[in-house]
Amino acid sequence: MDFITENLLTILILLPVFGALALLGHQMFWKQEGQLKWVTLLFTVVNFLISLFLLADKGSASASGFFFEKNIPWIKAINTNYHVGVDGLSLWLVILTTFIMPIAIVSTWHAVEKKATAFYIFLLLLESAMIGVFVSLDLLVFYLFFEASLIPMFFLIGIWGGENRIYAAVKFFIFTALGSLLMLVAIISLYYAYANIPGGLAAGTFDYVVLLNAMKMGTLNIAPTAATLMFLAFALAFAIKVPLFPFHTWLPDAHTEAPTAGSVILAAVLLKMGTYGLMRFCFTLFPDQAREWAPLFIILAIIGIIYGALVAMVQPDVKRLVAYSSVAHMGFVILGMFSFTEWGMQGAVYQMLNHGVSTGALFLLVGFIYERRHTRQISDFGGLANVMPIYATIFVITAMSSVGLPFLNGFVGEFLIMVGMWKSTILTITGSTNWNYVATMLAGTGVIFAAVYLLWMIQRVFFGKVTNGKNRSLKDLSYREIGLIAPLVFLMVFMGVYPKPFLDATEKSVVEIQKRVMHRAGGEVAEAEKEN
Amino acid sequence: MVFLAELVNPNVSISSIGPELVVALAGIVAMVYDSFFPKQRRVTGIVSLIGLAISAVLLGIMWSQIQPVSTFNGMIVHDNLRMAFSFVFLFVTAMTILISTVWVDNENVPAGEYHALLMFATFGMLLMASGNDLVVLFLGLETLSIATYVMAGFRKSDLKSNESAIKYFILGSFASAFLLYGMALIYGATGSTNITEIAAKVADPNFPALLLIGAAMLIIGFGFKVATVPFHIWTPDVYEGAPSPVTGFMAAGPKAAAFASFLRVFVLGFPLIAGVQASGYLHDTWMTVLSIMAILTMTVGNVAAIMQNNIKRMLAYSSIAHAGYALVGFLGAGAASNIAERDAAVASVAFYMLTYAITNLGAFAIVTLLGQKNDRRTEFEDYNGIGFKSPVLSFTLSLFMLSLLGIPLTAGFMGKVLVFRPALEAGNTLLTIVVVAAVVNTAISAYYYLRLVVVMFFRERTTQWLEPKMPIGLAAALLIAVIGVFYFGIFSDSVIEKFSQSTRTVGAVAK
């Protein structure tokens, strides 16, 4: 037990890798693909159960505010350490990752026939990389996982994707790689910024905690131009990943072409890397720049919300519609973050989880119907509620959660974000116009649009008469499928009714980040806090 | 023997060029043996490998023992640059011999000659790293070049191979002439061919302008050898026409050797000396020229690589681009403010060439194997859909592509991080722009590296596919490459430290 709690994060990262190796060995010696999914499922479920230890013991936060910290030298020549740890911000994202993985795997139970070994190996490697991203506290190690997560996804889309998969896979890869490479330059520059502190230690560092402390103490001061460039390099990498308008164009392609498991993971976890990165690194390392550039991000977020919703409305393909709804939802998350109020930022973190659950579920549901009919065109359906009542019910609940109906999870997140934005002081007040209010109102229209496109789609797909003869004999959800979606539906309701445990866990870290952003760097932090 | 020689002239130290001599000796043994017992491919190959191994051991001993800074009146030097690069060369040649087994067997290549030439080329490369005198560098360069001209045309009946050899020979001689002319001008300007003395002369406040012209000529000559834009035109044709194992060797070995000399002459020979305006002018000029060349090299190499349909041509352009990335580390070494930083930057270039060599040789091993006789299958189309038909080969090749691209956990990533580091360390705006250009180019390169992955895995195969048999030598080379790619990507610590650690030398230089 001690061993587990001491090396918890390392186990979470490595277990899927061992799973992948086990699959490879299994393939070499037994050559029976039928059992592979069971082995994969076993590994992911065990990983999920182990990740629950994250919730259990909370007494051991280190001085830097992280739990389950581990700091081992890796490449001494460039002073890189394998430094991992979780705090309130990453805690739920790690659990979301381990939670969504078994679901993604069961969702492919019958869908993946060809080259199943490779498919499951890539899924497991992806899980490792995603967990690694959320727990790394060394910038180079973070970059490593951030970039490494691209490869399995690239293969998942490219080999098991739809018709246009090659285009989508390459686009996905190049878009995200370009952003992250510029981030690498910024990371190395930070290393030297630390190394060149006058009278300081000669060695630079990639360690986030060390860098942050040096900035808080005022020993590490980066020239404003350099800091702005670094901030933009980081922000670009994350904005592409989120994706923020106008960097979103890879997303609909990737989502549409990816196999169901890929879309679910992409929506539920991969996009969160962007928003997580913004909060974790951009806000704390470059607070002044974050405030300075916030209006731009808020404008882009609002454009994303409205544009995503409008484009989603006219999509003929259900999966593409859900993909564009992702653009809109992630716009909300960005909006909440950049309001720099506790409400907004808490809402943003909560909305990240919501989006993972609801949109993940929507992709699963789209996958169910695609497996039956091999089409996703809205015009091919109609009146499905008559044929598949259970499916229709679950779909409507999920869609409502995505729209933000009270008592479902989406409402809590969006409400917090809107309140946060309303109370925000980040945008200026010109004359009688408080632009923070304007931003909130514009974002509010996004909620209405979301209701429009989802309800309209539901109406066309589920209600009315069965127009297409092929749909008459469709089977309703199997027990496997219901079992798959049930935990997600449960979470939607639970998170909508009782968000307290989630918000409590994230509160401390989020408040810390919020304080860091809203106060000037260096010695003034303490004074500013006193004034409060 | 050693004793005697040292009695005659205290500055002659045979042991200090032991690694070079052993390699040359192995080449001679291979050649002589072949003329008496022809057609015994294994033997000459093993003789060469043993020669390389002994040479490596001697190098290792030299590294740990205290050595004089320079011998042969300052012609041979003992420093990090030499040690680090020498290991790279020995590694490259050993890998090339292993990779060549399939080619030598399939096409009945006169193995004795081939191995002997390879060893002479290696001797030349080693001299290029150890020489501290323009004349020695030129000697090494010519020994290397002449051997590689012949190797490029080794497929005698193949028109493309002949074309490749002729092109390489004519353009190579042209470049050598530039180089030699540059050396002559520098001699005229400084009165010495010794790099240490040249560096001392640069400090002279009124050095003649001839030095600048000489340096420009040298840039052209070395630029040709490392294949930087605009002196890269020969590369694609030569690389495409030469037999695949030879291409792999040319992209890894001679390029690294040229970098070794290039670094020695410019970073050590034309340093920035504080307070001397003239040296600052020279330094500024070559730094600016090389920065522009680096950006051009990366951009042209990557953009042109996108448009290739032949894998060998694609790898040729990619090798141009990689020369550009290595130049970034080179510039970092040039901009370093103290000796420790400079040595670290030089080590980063050596490490970069090592990672590139491992990855590229691995890729060429597979290209050789899949190309079959006369490199017939080297178009992208030939690789359509082989992913799950030959999974081991395809995944290995994909790994090499990802490493060339610089994905974390592979050697290519560590190589890139290490060469970008010194360039950013200086905090110089121009160098920062160069680094940004390098990362943008890395993103561009994703397109063509991934294209091979896409072709192999994402497309369906329409024609029949017969998986080629893998000979043991090639399998060994592949295994070494795969382990190397991961090892240098994950546990690069020890190597980097070794490369940048100062060599143990006795302080006094006998002049």
Side-chain angles (χ1 to χ4, degrees), chain B residues 429-459:
Chain B
T429 319
L430 182 65
L431 290 192
T432 312
I433 293 172
V434 174
V435 174
V436 170
V439 298
V440 172
N441 267 294
T442 305
I444 296 176
S445 74
Y447 184 81
Y448 61 87
Y449 290 132
L450 291 181
R451 187 172 160 209
L452 196 53
V453 180
V454 165
V455 164
M456 288 193 298
F457 287 99
F458 303 175
R459 294 241 169 88

Short mmCIF file of all heavy atoms in Angstrom, two decimals, chain B residues 429-459:
data_model
loop_
_atom_site.label_atom_id
_atom_site.label_comp_id
_atom_site.label_asym_id
_atom_site.label_seq_id
_atom_site.Cartn_x
_atom_site.Cartn_y
_atom_site.Cartn_z
N THR B 429 19.44 38.14 -30.63
CA THR B 429 18.19 38.18 -31.39
C THR B 429 18.28 37.35 -32.66
O THR B 429 17.37 36.58 -32.98
CB THR B 429 17.85 39.63 -31.79
OG1 THR B 429 18.12 40.46 -30.69
CG2 THR B 429 16.41 39.75 -32.20
N LEU B 430 19.40 37.51 -33.38
CA LEU B 430 19.55 36.80 -34.64
C LEU B 430 19.45 35.28 -34.40
O LEU B 430 18.75 34.57 -35.12
CB LEU B 430 20.89 37.16 -35.28
CG LEU B 430 21.17 36.51 -36.63
CD1 LEU B 430 20.18 37.00 -37.66
CD2 LEU B 430 22.59 36.82 -37.08
N LEU B 431 20.15 34.82 -33.37
CA LEU B 431 20.14 33.39 -33.10
C LEU B 431 18.76 32.92 -32.67
O LEU B 431 18.34 31.80 -32.98
CB LEU B 431 21.18 33.03 -32.03
CG LEU B 431 22.64 33.16 -32.47
CD1 LEU B 431 23.56 32.53 -31.46
CD2 LEU B 431 22.84 32.52 -33.82
N THR B 432 18.05 33.78 -31.94
CA THR B 432 16.69 33.40 -31.54
C THR B 432 15.82 33.23 -32.78
O THR B 432 15.04 32.29 -32.88
CB THR B 432 16.09 34.46 -30.61
OG1 THR B 432 17.04 34.76 -29.60
CG2 THR B 432 14.81 33.97 -29.99
N ILE B 433 16.01 34.12 -33.75
CA ILE B 433 15.26 34.00 -35.00
C ILE B 433 15.62 32.68 -35.69
O ILE B 433 14.75 31.97 -36.19
CB ILE B 433 15.54 35.20 -35.92
CG1 ILE B 433 14.97 36.47 -35.28
CG2 ILE B 433 14.93 34.99 -37.30
CD1 ILE B 433 15.35 37.73 -36.02
N VAL B 434 16.92 32.35 -35.68
CA VAL B 434 17.34 31.10 -36.30
C VAL B 434 16.65 29.91 -35.62
O VAL B 434 16.16 28.99 -36.29
CB VAL B 434 18.88 30.95 -36.23
CG1 VAL B 434 19.30 29.59 -36.73
CG2 VAL B 434 19.55 32.02 -37.04
N VAL B 435 16.57 29.95 -34.29
CA VAL B 435 15.94 28.84 -33.59
C VAL B 435 14.45 28.77 -33.92
O VAL B 435 13.91 27.68 -34.15
CB VAL B 435 16.15 28.96 -32.06
CG1 VAL B 435 15.37 27.89 -31.33
CG2 VAL B 435 17.62 28.85 -31.73
N VAL B 436 13.81 29.92 -33.97
CA VAL B 436 12.38 29.91 -34.31
C VAL B 436 12.20 29.34 -35.73
O VAL B 436 11.31 28.51 -35.98
CB VAL B 436 11.77 31.32 -34.20
CG1 VAL B 436 10.38 31.35 -34.77
CG2 VAL B 436 11.75 31.75 -32.75
N ALA B 437 13.09 29.75 -36.64
CA ALA B 437 13.03 29.20 -38.00
C ALA B 437 13.20 27.69 -37.95
O ALA B 437 12.53 26.94 -38.66
CB ALA B 437 14.10 29.83 -38.87
N ALA B 438 14.08 27.24 -37.07
CA ALA B 438 14.33 25.80 -36.97
C ALA B 438 13.10 25.05 -36.50
O ALA B 438 12.77 23.99 -37.03
CB ALA B 438 15.51 25.53 -36.03
N VAL B 439 12.38 25.60 -35.52
CA VAL B 439 11.21 24.86 -35.04
C VAL B 439 10.07 24.93 -36.04
O VAL B 439 9.34 23.94 -36.21
CB VAL B 439 10.73 25.31 -33.64
CG1 VAL B 439 11.80 25.08 -32.62
CG2 VAL B 439 10.27 26.72 -33.64
N VAL B 440 9.94 26.07 -36.71
CA VAL B 440 8.89 26.13 -37.75
C VAL B 440 9.20 25.08 -38.82
O VAL B 440 8.32 24.36 -39.30
CB VAL B 440 8.81 27.54 -38.36
CG1 VAL B 440 7.89 27.55 -39.55
CG2 VAL B 440 8.33 28.53 -37.32
N ASN B 441 10.48 24.96 -39.15
CA ASN B 441 10.88 23.97 -40.13
C ASN B 441 10.63 22.56 -39.66
O ASN B 441 10.30 21.67 -40.44
CB ASN B 441 12.36 24.15 -40.47
CG ASN B 441 12.53 25.03 -41.66
OD1 ASN B 441 12.14 24.67 -42.75
ND2 ASN B 441 13.08 26.21 -41.46
N THR B 442 10.81 22.35 -38.37
CA THR B 442 10.53 21.02 -37.83
C THR B 442 9.07 20.66 -38.07
O THR B 442 8.75 19.53 -38.43
CB THR B 442 10.85 20.99 -36.33
OG1 THR B 442 12.19 21.42 -36.16
CG2 THR B 442 10.70 19.60 -35.76
N ALA B 443 8.21 21.65 -37.86
CA ALA B 443 6.79 21.40 -38.10
C ALA B 443 6.54 21.09 -39.57
O ALA B 443 5.75 20.21 -39.92
CB ALA B 443 5.96 22.58 -37.65
N ILE B 444 7.24 21.82 -40.46
CA ILE B 444 7.07 21.54 -41.89
C ILE B 444 7.53 20.12 -42.20
O ILE B 444 6.89 19.38 -42.95
CB ILE B 444 7.90 22.55 -42.73
CG1 ILE B 444 7.38 23.97 -42.51
CG2 ILE B 444 7.85 22.18 -44.21
CD1 ILE B 444 8.21 25.02 -43.22
N SER B 445 8.65 19.75 -41.56
CA SER B 445 9.21 18.44 -41.88
C SER B 445 8.27 17.32 -41.45
O SER B 445 8.35 16.20 -41.97
CB SER B 445 10.58 18.27 -41.23
OG SER B 445 10.43 18.06 -39.84
N ALA B 446 7.39 17.61 -40.49
CA ALA B 446 6.44 16.58 -40.07
C ALA B 446 5.69 16.04 -41.28
O ALA B 446 5.40 14.85 -41.36
CB ALA B 446 5.46 17.16 -39.06
N TYR B 447 5.43 16.92 -42.23
CA TYR B 447 4.61 16.49 -43.36
C TYR B 447 5.25 15.34 -44.13
O TYR B 447 4.61 14.33 -44.39
CB TYR B 447 4.34 17.68 -44.30
CG TYR B 447 3.43 17.32 -45.41
CD1 TYR B 447 2.04 17.27 -45.21
CD2 TYR B 447 3.91 16.95 -46.66
CE1 TYR B 447 1.20 16.89 -46.22
CE2 TYR B 447 3.06 16.57 -47.67
CZ TYR B 447 1.71 16.55 -47.45
OH TYR B 447 0.86 16.16 -48.44
N TYR B 448 6.52 15.49 -44.48
CA TYR B 448 7.08 14.42 -45.31
C TYR B 448 7.55 13.21 -44.52
O TYR B 448 7.55 12.11 -45.03
CB TYR B 448 8.16 14.94 -46.26
CG TYR B 448 9.38 15.57 -45.62
CD1 TYR B 448 10.46 14.79 -45.24
CD2 TYR B 448 9.46 16.94 -45.44
CE1 TYR B 448 11.59 15.37 -44.68
CE2 TYR B 448 10.59 17.52 -44.89
CZ TYR B 448 11.64 16.73 -44.50
OH TYR B 448 12.74 17.30 -43.94
N TYR B 449 7.96 13.42 -43.27
CA TYR B 449 8.32 12.23 -42.48
C TYR B 449 7.08 11.39 -42.22
O TYR B 449 7.10 10.17 -42.31
CB TYR B 449 8.97 12.63 -41.16
CG TYR B 449 10.36 13.21 -41.31
CD1 TYR B 449 10.71 14.38 -40.67
CD2 TYR B 449 11.31 12.58 -42.10
CE1 TYR B 449 11.98 14.93 -40.81
CE2 TYR B 449 12.57 13.11 -42.26
CZ TYR B 449 12.90 14.28 -41.61
OH TYR B 449 14.15 14.82 -41.76
N LEU B 450 5.99 12.10 -41.90
CA LEU B 450 4.76 11.36 -41.62
C LEU B 450 4.21 10.73 -42.89
O LEU B 450 3.51 9.73 -42.84
CB LEU B 450 3.71 12.27 -41.01
CG LEU B 450 4.04 12.76 -39.61
CD1 LEU B 450 2.91 13.62 -39.10
CD2 LEU B 450 4.23 11.59 -38.67
N ARG B 451 4.54 11.32 -44.01
CA ARG B 451 4.00 10.81 -45.26
C ARG B 451 4.40 9.34 -45.44
O ARG B 451 3.60 8.53 -45.90
CB ARG B 451 4.52 11.64 -46.43
CG ARG B 451 3.87 11.27 -47.72
CD ARG B 451 4.25 12.23 -48.83
NE ARG B 451 4.00 11.61 -50.11
CZ ARG B 451 4.69 11.89 -51.21
NH1 ARG B 451 5.67 12.78 -51.15
NH2 ARG B 451 4.42 11.28 -52.33
N LEU B 452 5.62 9.04 -45.06
CA LEU B 452 6.07 7.65 -45.18
C LEU B 452 5.25 6.76 -44.25
O LEU B 452 4.84 5.66 -44.63
CB LEU B 452 7.56 7.58 -44.84
CG LEU B 452 8.29 6.32 -45.26
CD1 LEU B 452 8.08 6.04 -46.73
CD2 LEU B 452 9.77 6.45 -44.97
N VAL B 453 4.98 7.27 -43.04
CA VAL B 453 4.16 6.51 -42.11
C VAL B 453 2.75 6.34 -42.68
O VAL B 453 2.17 5.25 -42.66
CB VAL B 453 4.09 7.24 -40.75
CG1 VAL B 453 3.24 6.47 -39.77
CG2 VAL B 453 5.49 7.46 -40.20
N VAL B 454 2.24 7.44 -43.23
CA VAL B 454 0.91 7.40 -43.81
C VAL B 454 0.85 6.37 -44.93
O VAL B 454 -0.06 5.52 -44.99
CB VAL B 454 0.55 8.81 -44.38
CG1 VAL B 454 -0.64 8.72 -45.30
CG2 VAL B 454 0.28 9.77 -43.25
N VAL B 455 1.85 6.40 -45.79
CA VAL B 455 1.86 5.49 -46.93
C VAL B 455 1.90 4.04 -46.45
O VAL B 455 1.19 3.19 -46.93
CB VAL B 455 3.09 5.81 -47.82
CG1 VAL B 455 3.38 4.67 -48.76
CG2 VAL B 455 2.84 7.08 -48.60
N MET B 456 2.71 3.79 -45.46
CA MET B 456 2.87 2.41 -45.01
C MET B 456 1.66 1.89 -44.26
O MET B 456 1.27 0.74 -44.43
CB MET B 456 4.11 2.29 -44.11
CG MET B 456 5.42 2.42 -44.86
SD MET B 456 6.81 1.92 -43.87
CE MET B 456 6.75 3.10 -42.54
N PHE B 457 1.07 2.74 -43.42
CA PHE B 457 0.02 2.23 -42.54
C PHE B 457 -1.39 2.58 -42.98
O PHE B 457 -2.31 1.82 -42.73
CB PHE B 457 0.25 2.73 -41.11
CG PHE B 457 1.39 2.07 -40.44
CD1 PHE B 457 2.62 2.69 -40.38
CD2 PHE B 457 1.26 0.81 -39.88
CE1 PHE B 457 3.70 2.07 -39.77
CE2 PHE B 457 2.32 0.19 -39.27
CZ PHE B 457 3.54 0.81 -39.22
N PHE B 458 -1.56 3.75 -43.56
CA PHE B 458 -2.92 4.22 -43.77
C PHE B 458 -3.45 3.86 -45.15
O PHE B 458 -4.63 3.98 -45.41
CB PHE B 458 -3.04 5.73 -43.56
CG PHE B 458 -2.58 6.21 -42.21
CD1 PHE B 458 -2.53 7.56 -41.91
CD2 PHE B 458 -2.25 5.31 -41.21
CE1 PHE B 458 -2.11 8.00 -40.67
CE2 PHE B 458 -1.83 5.74 -39.97
CZ PHE B 458 -1.76 7.08 -39.70
N ARG B 459 -2.57 3.44 -46.05
CA ARG B 459 -3.03 3.09 -47.39
C ARG B 459 -3.14 1.58 -47.49
O ARG B 459 -2.55 0.83 -46.74
CB ARG B 459 -2.01 3.58 -48.43
CG ARG B 459 -1.91 5.09 -48.50
CD ARG B 459 -2.28 5.61 -49.88
NE ARG B 459 -2.43 7.06 -49.85
CZ ARG B 459 -1.41 7.89 -50.05
NH1 ARG B 459 -0.21 7.40 -50.31
NH2 ARG B 459 -1.59 9.19 -50.01
#
